[in-house]
Amino acid sequence: MAESSLKHLQQAANLTRIRAMSMTHHSQLGHTGGDLSSADVLTCLYLGGILAVDPARPHWEQRDRFIMSKGHCSGAFYATLAARGFFPVEQLKTFMDPLSMLNGHPDRNKLPGVEANTGPLGHGAPIAVGAALAAKMRGEHWRVFVLTGDGELQEGSNWEAAMTAHHYKLDNLTVIVDRNRIQQGDFTENTIQMDPLAPKWSSFGFAVREVDGHNHEELMQVFQSLPLEPGKPTCIIANTVKGKGVSFAENKPAWHHGVPTREQLFMAAEELGVEVPW
């Protein structure tokens, strides 16, 4: 990609980060660490031209489907949807307010661009497999992407879904793992050991690629190469840093659901090279 395009994606990702942090500060609730770690993946998918979606027609039948399985990181997801034009950016200020469209977890009945209600972990991948299978059965060419957390992979439903995806040769399905190595309360490897993770997905019949989940060039290259192998579903393990871009939050379990103070918002904005939006 051209350097100017990569710079644009970086600026957009950092704007998503500060918007998500501002939303969490406003509501005094949220999941800052995961918002920050997933911002680059979301930016490449929605603002890098990977997903075939149309904000003017959110129910367009030929759209690609994206499912935010780690629905607790709704701040980054909402900020990205707003940046893509699914709803006005000003609505981000209402995050978790009474009667707001912006629930703590995404609700497809309230917000355009949301394909599935998520939050209970381990649900997104099975839903994505069902959607990808439906496309195959109907002879449609749209694709399905699902973003999971790494701690979320402790849910057995993900592996049932993986077996099904392999059995039906769902090469229109891409599972992206936000591998930030921290879940609620502790590091993932202290909770349930996951490494080596890539061979696990390979053994379930997936074509697997590990990338730097904060390197937009790497992310765009792998997304533009899908499917990695015809006849196989894809798993992209995006190695990320929980709290990426904000020094006081990076790689700290407490920031899984940490809430920034007003002072910390301005500190984060300075490090990210953006302005506090409100």
Side-chain angles (χ1 to χ4, degrees), residues 5 9 46-47 56 73 80 112 117-118 125 149 153 155 163-164 168 171-172 179 190 195 226 230 241-242 265:
S5 297
L9 289 175
Y46 279 93
L47 304 180
C73 294
T80 304
N117 295 16
T118 53
L153 297 182
E155 300 284 356
M163 284 191 289
T164 303
Y168 288 104
D171 56 5
N172 58 342
R179 185 67 170 118
N190 292 339
D195 285 331
L226 297 174
V241 175
K242 195 101 166 186
L265 274 184

Side-chain angles (χ1 to χ4, degrees), residues 128-142:
V129 168
L133 181 57
K136 289 286 189 181
M137 293 174 68
R138 293 170 54 182
E140 302 286 1
H141 297 291
W142 41 267

Side-chain angles (χ1 to χ4, degrees), residues 52-74:
V53 293
D54 183 354
R57 296 180 295 161
H59 300 296
W60 172 45
E61 284 208 5
Q62 297 307 310
R63 72 191 182 280
D64 289 334
R65 273 66 168 174
F66 172 79
I67 295 171
M68 185 72 168
S69 189
K70 48 180 293 176
H72 56 289
C73 294
S74 56

Side-chain angles (χ1 to χ4, degrees), residues 2-21:
E3 185 176 346
S4 59
S5 297
L6 292 172
K7 184 177 180 180
H8 171 74
L9 289 175
Q10 185 62 64
Q11 291 173 335
N14 284 346
L15 185 56
T16 286
R17 288 183 166 97
I18 198 62
R19 285 174 173 170
M21 290 186 73

Side-chain angles (χ1 to χ4, degrees), residues 91-126:
Q91 288 191 16
L92 296 176
K93 300 176 184 179
T94 72
F95 183 55
M96 293 203 212
D97 284 352
L99 305 181
S100 171
M101 297 193 306
L102 307 183
N103 289 0
H105 294 86
D107 186 337
R108 67 183 301 274
N109 299 302
K110 291 187 174 185
L111 199 65
V114 175
E115 295 289 348
N117 295 16
T118 53
L121 298 178
H123 288 196

